[in-house]
Amino acid sequence: MRAACLLSLLAVGPVLAQNTNSNTDSDSLEQAISESLADIASSITTTIDEATIPTGDYLTYSTTVFLTDHGSVLGSTAVEVTETSGSENSTTSNATLTTTSDSVTVLMGGQTTITANGTNNITHTSTPTASQTPVVNTQPCNGYPEFCNRKYSNISMVAAHNSPFVMQGNVAANQALGVQYQLDDGVRMLQFQAHVANGTVNLCHTSCDMLNAGSLDDYLTSVASWMRQHPYDVITLLIGNYDYADPGNFTAAFESSGLMDLVFTPPMIPMGLDDWPTLGSIILSGKRALVFMDYQANQTAYPWLMDEFSQIWETPFSPTDRAFPCNVQRPPGLADNDARARMYMANHNLNIEFNIASLNLLIPNTALLNETNADTGYGSLGRMADNCTTRWNRAPNFLLVDYYNEGNFNGSVFEVAANLNNVSYDRDSCCGTLSAASSVVPRGMMTAVLMLVGVQILMSGF
């Protein structure tokens, strides 16, 4: 009953927020709301209970598995599947895999000098060519000619957390602008949560009753359309398999959307930090969409659908701590030397946590977006990037953020990525449309206030 009341509040939130915005005193009211929520958010120090962190099967490969040009598997090697619950691990099954690596032509990028930041930790650098007079490519790869001869694993990119969840006034939304805006502005990883029902994959946040962004097919069709118009860009997709569904459920959407024609198949499983090809070679191959899945990936059957956690580790999930510690949380128990041998993602999407009876609710902390997505300062993306670089002696590969278009200036999240990549960012290139970007945060504030009111109603026994 209480959960139903809460969902009702979520449903009416956008309407009430819109009506409030139409009042003559809306600007001053929303300013007061913003300041009030900022005070509340700053005082929250709770962290997510370990029980709320997603758990599932984590794969451990004892031997490298090589794939053919067509993605088929040859030979055999043991793959250990570990099911994690809390801090206990137990081996549950074994599988077999293998292969042959293929070669591709490499685009040449501009030659740069390896540099280090103030803490003597190396940030991303381009790989010099062997030639005395290197060929300089004037066609940018992911926006920068310098990236063409860098390994995919030697680049930091902005990742849109829950990319499809764009719905003004809905407390479960995570972005203000749609996927094509995101890609136009420079987002190069698209992360989302998928739910499978009756053979259809929909993009929903926790529950399809809370926020349903439509079918995976429609979303991927938009991504494929953009990619065909931008042949020099490499896009990464990270699927959150919320229902731990069989990966075969996802193939139809990739095929019907046309994105399967662009999907990258790795030459080996798993791909270590130094095994990834350059962006130029990926682009020349025509297979420019790299697809990862967090749980239940089966690369024996679907070599292109890459297992995330055997190749990427993550910092704490759904963070509520503004210090954003840069420690490994998933996969659990990963040794430092193993973490240093793979890519990693910095989760920098700040949340507020509400506990109502048995319901645990996290919502984006929109009150602090200007600080969370900033390039400098406490709690900022820039600060976390520096801390991560210091901790691991290399920069994060993926910077996962909410409302990427907000920050202490337009494009602040992209400036952070550019600094890590040792390139210059054009601040005039971001973000989306002014009207779309300027209205979402106050409405998000209003909805959050409605949520706080709803909490009081629910706790009073309504």
Side-chain angles (χ1 to χ4, degrees):
M1 178 64 180
R2 291 186 174 185
C5 291
L6 187 57
L7 290 176
S8 296
L9 284 169
L10 292 176
V12 301
V15 177
L16 293 177
Q18 186 172 4
N19 290 340
T20 302
N21 284 342
S22 66
N23 294 336
T24 55
D25 295 330
S26 63
D27 290 344
S28 59
L29 176 60
E30 289 178 355
Q31 177 64 28
I33 290 169
S34 175
E35 292 174 357
S36 177
L37 281 181
D39 291 340
I40 294 171
S42 297
S43 66
I44 292 176
T45 58
T46 55
T47 56
I48 311 269
D49 187 273
E50 287 291 323
T52 67
I53 299 168
T55 59
D57 293 344
Y58 295 91
L59 303 181
T60 302
Y61 291 83
S62 59
T63 308
T64 301
V65 176
F66 295 95
L67 301 174
T68 68
D69 291 348
H70 302 290
S72 58
V73 179
L74 300 176
S76 63
T77 185
V79 181
E80 184 178 278
V81 182
T82 304
E83 182 177 356
T84 301
S85 177
S87 60
E88 296 179 0
N89 296 340
S90 60
T91 301
T92 58
S93 64
N94 287 297
T96 56
L97 295 172
T98 13
T99 182
T100 293
S101 66
D102 52 350
S103 59
V104 290
T105 307
V106 180
L107 274 174
M108 307 305 291
Q111 193 172 23
T112 64
T113 303
I114 294 178
T115 59
N117 63 17
T119 58
N120 296 320
N121 293 302
I122 303 301
T123 53
H124 293 308
T125 59
S126 62
T127 304
T129 64
S131 172
Q132 293 295 322
T133 56
V135 177
V136 177
N137 175 46
T138 58
Q139 176 63 53
C141 299
N142 277 20
Y144 294 94
E146 299 95 328
F147 287 0
C148 292
N149 69 334
R150 294 193 197 181
K151 289 180 181 291
Y152 171 79
S153 56
N154 190 31
I155 297 171
S156 290
M157 60 192 81
V158 174
H161 175 235
N162 283 334
S163 162
F165 301 156
V166 180
M167 191 173 293
Q168 289 190 8
N170 190 307
V171 75
N174 296 98
Q175 301 298 333
L177 305 173
V179 65
Q180 296 209 2
Y181 277 125
Q182 295 169 24
L183 294 171
D184 282 343
D185 287 335
V187 169
R188 288 297 175 266
M189 174 190 260
L190 305 170
Q191 186 274 343
F192 51 85
Q193 187 182 114
H195 293 250
V196 180
N198 300 320
T200 300
V201 183
N202 286 319
L203 305 177
C204 303
H205 196 166
T206 307
S207 165
C208 289
D209 292 327
M210 184 175 288
L211 190 156
N212 188 338
S215 70
L216 177 60
D217 192 333
D218 289 344
Y219 177 79
L220 295 182
T221 297
S222 295
V223 175
S225 174
W226 188 93
M227 290 189 68
R228 293 187 190 285
Q229 296 172 40
H230 299 80
Y232 293 96
D233 286 276
V234 175
I235 304 302
T236 302
L237 296 98
L238 175 55
I239 302 173
N241 188 3
Y242 189 87
D243 299 326
Y244 303 103
D246 185 282
N249 286 283
F250 296 86
T251 58
F254 278 87
E255 291 169 351
S256 60
S257 67
L259 192 59
M260 188 65 81
D261 293 339
L262 301 174
V263 165
F264 170 87
T265 298
M268 64 184 70
I269 308 169
M271 296 284 283
L273 188 65
D274 296 327
D275 296 328
W276 295 95
T278 64
L279 239 58
S281 64
I282 293 173
I283 290 167
L284 287 177
S285 75
K287 306 298 183 180
R288 302 177 286 112
L290 286 78
V291 187
F292 294 90
M293 177 177 281
D294 58 358
Y295 296 107
Q296 302 301 112
N298 179 357
Q299 289 190 252
T300 304
Y302 311 100
W304 57 273
L305 187 54
M306 295 180 281
D307 173 62
E308 177 192 3
F309 293 120
S310 62
Q311 295 161 107
I312 301 170
W313 60 264
E314 292 187 14
T315 64
F317 173 82
S318 290
T320 57
D321 182 355
R322 293 187 66 205
F324 293 102
C326 199
N327 55 286
V328 180
Q329 187 184 73
R330 294 189 296 169
L334 188 68
D336 272 15
N337 60 324
D338 291 328
R340 295 179 189 281
R342 65 185 71 179
M343 298 185 293
Y344 73 102
M345 181 163 73
N347 289 316
H348 200 80
N349 53 305
L350 186 65
N351 298 274
I352 294 178
E353 182 180 11
F354 292 110
N355 293 294
I356 310 166
S358 61
L359 178 65
N360 176 272
L361 180 67
L362 287 174
I363 65 171
N365 190 335
T366 56
L368 293 177
L369 277 173
N370 286 351
E371 298 175 24
T372 301
N373 286 354
D375 62 330
T376 59
Y378 177 72
S380 70
L381 182 65
R383 176 75 64 86
M384 182 184 196
D386 288 344
N387 290 342
C388 285
T389 302
T390 300
R391 168 71 175 85
W392 297 100
N393 202 35
R394 61 184 178 87
N397 298 93
F398 310 104
L399 306 170
L400 190 75
V401 298
D402 284 332
Y403 295 102
Y404 78 92
N405 56 299
E406 297 291 339
N408 57 328
F409 60 85
N410 269 356
S412 56
V413 296
F414 298 108
E415 176 110 320
V416 173
N419 289 339
L420 295 175
N421 289 320
N422 294 304
V423 295
S424 298
Y425 175 67
D426 177 9
R427 294 190 182 187
D428 294 332
S429 64
C430 193
C431 292
T433 61
L434 182 61
S435 60
S438 61
S439 63
V440 69
V441 175
R443 291 191 180 187
M445 300 294 186
M446 180 59 67
T447 305
V449 170
L450 292 170
M451 287 296 305
L452 290 172
V453 173
V455 169
Q456 295 300 319
I457 293 172
L458 291 168
M459 294 185 71
S460 66
F462 173 73

